[in-house]
Amino acid sequence: MVKYCELFITFLKVGTFTIGGGYAMIPLMQHEVVERRRWMDAETFLDVLSLSQAMPGVFAVNMATQVGYRLRGVRGSAAAIAGNVLMPIALVLLIAIFFRRFKEVPAVEQVFMGLRPAVAALIAAPVFTLARSARIGWSNCWIPLAAALLIWLLGVSPIIVVLAAAAAGWLWGRAENRNLKTKR
Amino acid sequence: MIFWKLFYTFLIIGAFTFGGGYSMVALIQDQVVTHHGWLTAQEFTDILAISQMTPGPIGINTATYAGYTAVANAGYPAWLAAAGSLLASLAVVAVPVALMLLVCRYLSRYMDHPRVAAMLRVLRLTVVGLIAAAALSLLTAESFGQTGLNRQFIVSLAIFAAVFVATLRRKASPLTLLALSGLAGWVAYGL
């Protein structure tokens, strides 16, 4: 049986050595969980991955929750989550404490003047890669366009947009289901 | 009471984030910057830059940083601000983790249900729009400088274009791109 501390340390490693968000964690997590520790096979890992994408929340934490739960139940998932977020939280907290003082240094402000447009580009780029993987075409491109314009131009809260999208998808699924049944 | 507000705000942000960290950016911006005014737009952009350069999920990093800054900006001492950052990080994962455990235990067979599948299909499309809105909201004068033929605006546009193309075409790592952009800023404005 997998020990709690093994789970904790494995996810501590994954959480500490991946920079750039949840998806950057996938290769290292797969290496540790599937290849090195052999806690699950690659197929199960893919199931864990797709369920983590389907659920709300922080992607990497969803992964940790599931892997921990499958191996050692609720406590296992707690150990995996704690390991996963410990270093990121500690590090960002330290930066938050000291950054407020460094902000007065002119060189720091100059570096951040260079970083700000870069951050906008880093967030704009995935819009196009995701559009490809979500198979956005002429027939359905109005959905992301409407969502973006509602939030950006009209100031509608993203929460409302997400709720409306979930409700619309649910009703659409029901309509599809009925169509299938009447065809039969 | 700022701590209670911080807790339920990040609880809601966590519960309504689909499709990973970038879509959370739109939610955090709406709640933390526009609705509560805990951070300025520029502070928020700086936090995004920092969380892209530090390990860990963007959602956790941003919650930690925003929690600390919101409480510190409200005039509380540093140790209370640290407590605020832990509270925000805990809140952001609380609902999703509870839901995840529930699904693992009881509901996994419903995940293939056609209605759930249709819901996720529409959400996946919507999330692209959410991220686009987040990116559009970052195109501000605070980040790029006043529009026109001045040094900051031209340098900013050049950095934006270079990072955008390098991410899409060459799949360059965000860390490398940010290091280069920071260096470019220091060279352009400092020397």
Side-chain angles (χ1 to χ4, degrees), chain A residues 2 7 38 49 61 66-67 73 76-77 89 95 101 114 121 141 145 151 161 176 179:
Chain A
V2 180
L7 263 169
R38 297 184 190 280
L49 197 100
V61 174
Q66 266 193 90
V67 173
S77 72
I89 289 181
I95 294 173
R101 289 177 209 165
C141 66
L145 274 176
I151 297 168
V161 173
E176 248 183 1
N179 281 345

Side-chain angles (χ1 to χ4, degrees), chain B residues 114-159:
Chain B
R115 253 181 261 177
V116 177
M119 191 169 86
L120 292 176
R121 217 156 48 223
V122 177
L123 276 173
R124 223 166 282 146
L125 293 170
T126 312
V127 157
V128 177
L130 239 68
I131 300 173
L136 285 168
S137 317
L138 291 176
L139 306 177
T140 58
E142 284 111 43
S143 297
F144 282 74
Q146 289 303 321
T147 319
L149 282 176
N150 59 69
R151 174 145 67 154
Q152 196 194 348
F153 190 67
I154 292 165
V155 171
S156 297
L157 276 189
I159 291 176

Side-chain angles (χ1 to χ4, degrees), chain B:
Chain B
M1 178 74 174
I2 186 141
F3 289 97
W4 168 241
K5 272 191 192 161
L6 203 61
F7 182 77
Y8 82 67
T9 302
F10 276 94
L11 204 69
I12 288 172
I13 291 171
F16 286 96
T17 296
F18 281 88
Y22 285 121
S23 64
M24 194 179 270
V25 170
L27 279 139
I28 298 179
Q29 199 171 38
D30 171 64
Q31 288 293 307
V32 174
V33 180
T34 313
H35 187 67
H36 290 292
W38 285 330
L39 301 169
T40 65
Q42 197 180 61
E43 270 178 315
F44 182 69
T45 314
D46 291 351
I47 292 175
L48 287 179
I50 290 170
S51 49
Q52 296 258 297
M53 290 185 291
T54 50
I58 295 167
I60 298 276
N61 289 344
T62 324
T64 306
Y65 202 108
Y68 183 91
T69 313
V71 177
N73 281 355
Y76 289 95
W79 67 273
L80 272 177
S85 80
L86 291 181
L87 189 72
S89 314
L90 188 76
V92 91
V93 299
V95 174
V97 166
L99 215 64
M100 194 71 175
L101 289 173
L102 211 69
V103 167
C104 281
R105 193 150 201 175
Y106 306 107
L107 306 171
S108 50
R109 63 205 159 99
Y110 293 110
M111 291 311 286
D112 294 327
H113 190 282
R115 253 181 261 177
V116 177
M119 191 169 86
L120 292 176
R121 217 156 48 223
V122 177
L123 276 173
R124 223 166 282 146
L125 293 170
T126 312
V127 157
V128 177
L130 239 68
I131 300 173
L136 285 168
S137 317
L138 291 176
L139 306 177
T140 58
E142 284 111 43
S143 297
F144 282 74
Q146 289 303 321
T147 319
L149 282 176
N150 59 69
R151 174 145 67 154
Q152 196 194 348
F153 190 67
I154 292 165
V155 171
S156 297
L157 276 189
I159 291 176
F160 180 88
V163 171
F164 187 77
V165 170
T167 306
L168 281 187
R169 284 286 160 85
R170 312 216 164 243
K171 303 209 178 349
S173 98
L175 189 67
T176 316
L177 293 173
L178 285 174
L180 290 173
S181 308
L183 188 71
W186 184 64
V187 170
Y189 307 117
L191 296 184

